[in-house]
Every structure is written in C-alpha cells, then in structure tokens.
Amino acid sequence: MITEVNVDMVLIKPDPIPEESTGGIIAPDIARANAMKKQNRGMVMIIGSECKWVQAGWYVSFYKNAATDMPEDGEDFVIVHEGHVLAKFQTNVKK
C-alpha cells in the first residue's frame, strides 16, 4: 500500500475504464489497457508535503503524458508532479 509520495508529487486513482460500452460491447483487455493510457481524470489520494495547490480528495484532470503508472494491490494509480494537475472539478463529472 502506498502511504507517501515525494514532496511535490500527487498520487491519483484514475476513473475506472468501463468493461462494457453503452451499446453492450465488452471491451477486450488490450482495448481497456489502451483506454487507460488515455485516461486523464481521477481522485487525488495522496499529496506530497510541499504541494500547495492540490488537496487529497479532489477530483482532477491531469496531463496524461506526464503520468507514471503505479499499480498497487491490483488497483491502478498514477503519480504526477503537482504542476501537471490541470484542473479541479466540484464532482466526478462525466466526459
């Protein structure tokens, strides 16, 4: 379990990728893996000690090319520099 990140880093749990489309088509694992690479929204779980703008519990959008995958205990997480968090949302908004 991840308990701490570097001073100016943010650990984010990305939105889950649906296993089935709205039309009922089940996505194969490779399609889900590719969709995960494009995911750029999620919930902030842990922040570094020097983060000034981001807070744990925020729902944010982040620069997807700056994210590093951090799988832990069967769950997907990404870690980004605080400066790569682009926006904060009031709630979990749908794309």
Side-chain angles (χ1 to χ4, degrees), residues 5-25:
V5 295
N6 201 349
V7 294
D8 56 355
M9 303 303 280
V10 179
L11 183 76
I12 299 172
K13 181 162 181 52
D15 284 349
I17 303 299
E19 292 186 27
E20 191 174 304
S21 73
T22 54
I25 298 172

Side-chain angles (χ1 to χ4, degrees), residues 5 10 13 19-20 36 44 51 62 74-75 79 87 90 95:
V5 295
V10 179
K13 181 162 181 52
E19 292 186 27
E20 191 174 304
M36 189 65 190
V44 175
C51 289
F62 55 91
E75 294 188 74
I79 190 163
Q90 291 283 338
K95 294 180 186 178

Side-chain angles (χ1 to χ4, degrees), residues 19-58:
E19 292 186 27
E20 191 174 304
S21 73
T22 54
I25 298 172
I26 297 174
D29 289 341
I30 192 73
R32 288 177 42 78
N34 287 336
M36 189 65 190
K37 290 179 187 175
K38 297 177 184 177
Q39 182 58 273
N40 72 336
R41 291 185 179 187
M43 183 69 66
V44 175
M45 305 303 288
I46 301 172
I47 63 169
S49 61
E50 293 184 15
C51 289
K52 296 180 180 11
W53 187 73
V54 178
Q55 294 179 11
W58 281 9

